[in-house]
Coordinates of all heavy atoms in Angstrom, one line a residue:
D491 N -48.3 -7.6 -78.7 CA -49.6 -7.8 -78.0 C -50.5 -8.7 -78.8 O -51.0 -9.7 -78.3 CB -50.3 -6.4 -77.8 CG -51.6 -6.6 -77.1 OD1 -51.7 -7.5 -76.3 OD2 -52.6 -5.9 -77.4
H494 N -49.0 -12.2 -78.7 CA -49.1 -12.7 -77.4 C -50.5 -13.2 -77.1 O -50.7 -14.3 -76.5 CB -48.7 -11.6 -76.4 CG -48.3 -12.1 -75.0 ND1 -47.1 -12.7 -74.7 CD2 -49.1 -12.1 -73.9 CE1 -47.1 -13.1 -73.5 NE2 -48.3 -12.7 -72.9
Q495 N -51.5 -12.4 -77.5 CA -52.9 -12.8 -77.3 C -53.1 -14.1 -78.1 O -53.8 -15.0 -77.6 CB -53.8 -11.7 -77.7 CG -53.7 -10.5 -76.9 CD -54.9 -9.6 -76.9 OE1 -56.0 -10.1 -77.0 NE2 -54.7 -8.3 -76.8
T498 N -51.4 -17.1 -76.3 CA -52.0 -17.5 -75.0 C -53.5 -17.8 -75.1 O -54.2 -17.9 -74.1 CB -51.8 -16.4 -73.9 OG1 -52.4 -15.2 -74.4 CG2 -50.3 -16.1 -73.7
G499 N -53.9 -17.9 -76.4 CA -55.3 -18.2 -76.6 C -56.2 -17.1 -76.0 O -57.3 -17.4 -75.5
G500 N -55.8 -15.9 -76.0 CA -56.6 -14.8 -75.5 C -56.5 -14.6 -74.0 O -57.2 -13.7 -73.5
A501 N -55.7 -15.4 -73.3 CA -55.7 -15.3 -71.9 C -54.9 -14.1 -71.3 O -55.1 -13.7 -70.2 CB -55.2 -16.6 -71.3
E502 N -54.0 -13.7 -72.2 CA -53.1 -12.6 -71.6 C -52.8 -11.6 -72.7 O -52.5 -12.0 -73.9 CB -51.8 -13.2 -71.2 CG -50.9 -12.4 -70.3 CD -49.8 -13.2 -69.7 OE1 -50.0 -13.9 -68.7 OE2 -48.7 -13.1 -70.2
W503 N -52.8 -10.3 -72.4 CA -52.3 -9.3 -73.3 C -51.0 -8.8 -72.8 O -50.6 -9.0 -71.6 CB -53.3 -8.2 -73.6 CG -54.0 -7.6 -72.5 CD1 -55.3 -7.9 -72.1 CD2 -53.5 -6.6 -71.5 NE1 -55.7 -7.1 -71.0 CE2 -54.6 -6.4 -70.6 CE3 -52.3 -6.0 -71.3 CZ2 -54.5 -5.5 -69.5 CZ3 -52.2 -5.1 -70.3 CH2 -53.2 -4.8 -69.4
L504 N -50.2 -8.1 -73.7 CA -48.9 -7.7 -73.4 C -48.7 -6.2 -73.8 O -49.2 -5.8 -74.9 CB -47.9 -8.6 -74.1 CG -46.4 -8.3 -74.0 CD1 -45.9 -8.6 -72.6 CD2 -45.6 -9.1 -75.0
R505 N -48.0 -5.5 -73.0 CA -47.7 -4.1 -73.4 C -46.3 -3.8 -73.0 O -45.9 -4.1 -71.9 CB -48.7 -3.1 -72.6 CG -48.5 -1.7 -73.0 CD -49.6 -0.8 -72.3 NE -49.4 -0.7 -70.8 CZ -48.6 0.2 -70.3 NH1 -47.9 1.0 -71.0 NH2 -48.5 0.2 -68.9
L526 N -55.2 1.4 -69.3 CA -54.7 1.1 -70.6 C -54.7 2.1 -71.7 O -53.6 2.5 -72.2 CB -55.5 -0.1 -71.2 CG -54.9 -1.4 -71.3 CD1 -55.8 -2.3 -72.2 CD2 -53.5 -1.3 -71.9
M575 N -45.4 -5.4 -69.5 CA -46.6 -5.4 -68.7 C -47.6 -6.4 -69.3 O -47.8 -6.4 -70.5 CB -47.2 -4.0 -68.6 CG -46.2 -2.9 -68.2 SD -45.4 -3.1 -66.6 CE -46.8 -2.9 -65.5
A576 N -48.2 -7.2 -68.4 CA -49.2 -8.1 -68.9 C -50.5 -8.0 -68.1 O -50.4 -7.6 -66.9 CB -48.7 -9.5 -68.9
G577 N -51.6 -8.4 -68.7 CA -52.8 -8.4 -68.0 C -53.8 -9.4 -68.6 O -53.4 -10.0 -69.7
S578 N -54.9 -9.7 -68.0 CA -55.8 -10.6 -68.6 C -57.2 -9.9 -68.7 O -57.5 -9.1 -67.9 CB -55.9 -11.9 -67.9 OG -56.5 -11.6 -66.6
P579 N -58.0 -10.3 -69.7 CA -59.3 -9.6 -69.9 C -60.1 -9.8 -68.6 O -60.9 -8.8 -68.3 CB -59.9 -10.4 -71.1 CG -58.8 -11.0 -71.8 CD -57.7 -11.2 -70.8
A580 N -60.0 -10.9 -67.9 CA -60.8 -11.1 -66.7 C -60.5 -10.1 -65.6 O -61.3 -9.8 -64.8 CB -60.6 -12.5 -66.2
Q581 N -59.3 -9.5 -65.7 CA -58.9 -8.6 -64.6 C -59.0 -7.1 -65.0 O -58.4 -6.3 -64.4 CB -57.4 -8.9 -64.3 CG -57.2 -10.3 -64.0 CD -56.8 -10.6 -62.5 OE1 -55.8 -10.1 -62.1 NE2 -57.6 -11.3 -61.8
G582 N -59.7 -6.9 -66.1 CA -59.9 -5.5 -66.5 C -58.6 -4.8 -66.9 O -57.8 -5.4 -67.7
T583 N -58.3 -3.6 -66.4 CA -57.1 -2.9 -66.8 C -55.9 -3.2 -65.9 O -54.9 -2.6 -66.0 CB -57.3 -1.4 -66.8 OG1 -57.8 -1.0 -65.6 CG2 -58.3 -1.0 -67.9
H584 N -56.1 -4.1 -64.9 CA -55.0 -4.4 -64.0 C -53.8 -5.0 -64.7 O -54.0 -5.9 -65.5 CB -55.5 -5.3 -62.9 CG -54.5 -5.8 -62.0 ND1 -53.9 -4.9 -61.0 CD2 -53.8 -6.9 -61.8 CE1 -53.0 -5.5 -60.3 NE2 -52.9 -6.8 -60.8
E585 N -52.6 -4.5 -64.5 CA -51.4 -5.1 -65.1 C -50.4 -5.6 -64.1 O -50.3 -5.1 -63.0 CB -50.7 -3.9 -65.9 CG -51.5 -3.4 -67.1 CD -50.6 -2.4 -67.9 OE1 -49.8 -1.6 -67.2 OE2 -50.7 -2.4 -69.1
V586 N -49.7 -6.6 -64.6 CA -48.5 -7.0 -63.7 C -47.2 -6.8 -64.6 O -47.2 -6.9 -65.8 CB -48.6 -8.4 -63.2 CG1 -49.6 -8.6 -62.2 CG2 -48.7 -9.4 -64.4
L588 N -44.1 -8.2 -65.8 CA -43.6 -9.6 -66.0 C -42.2 -9.8 -65.5 O -41.8 -10.9 -65.1 CB -43.7 -10.0 -67.4 CG -45.2 -10.3 -67.9 CD1 -45.1 -10.7 -69.4 CD2 -45.9 -11.4 -67.1
Q596 N -44.3 -17.4 -68.4 CA -44.9 -16.2 -68.9 C -43.8 -15.3 -69.5 O -44.0 -14.7 -70.5 CB -45.5 -15.4 -67.7 CG -47.0 -15.7 -67.5 CD -47.5 -14.9 -66.3 OE1 -46.8 -14.9 -65.2 NE2 -48.6 -14.3 -66.4

Side-chain angles (χ1 to χ4, degrees):
D491 178 36
H494 197 78
Q495 295 202 34
T498 59
E502 196 172 279
W503 46 257
L504 179 68
R505 182 173 71 85
L526 250 192
M575 309 300 293
S578 66
Q581 310 246 297
T583 55
H584 177 73
E585 292 186 322
V586 290
L588 288 179
Q596 271 178 310

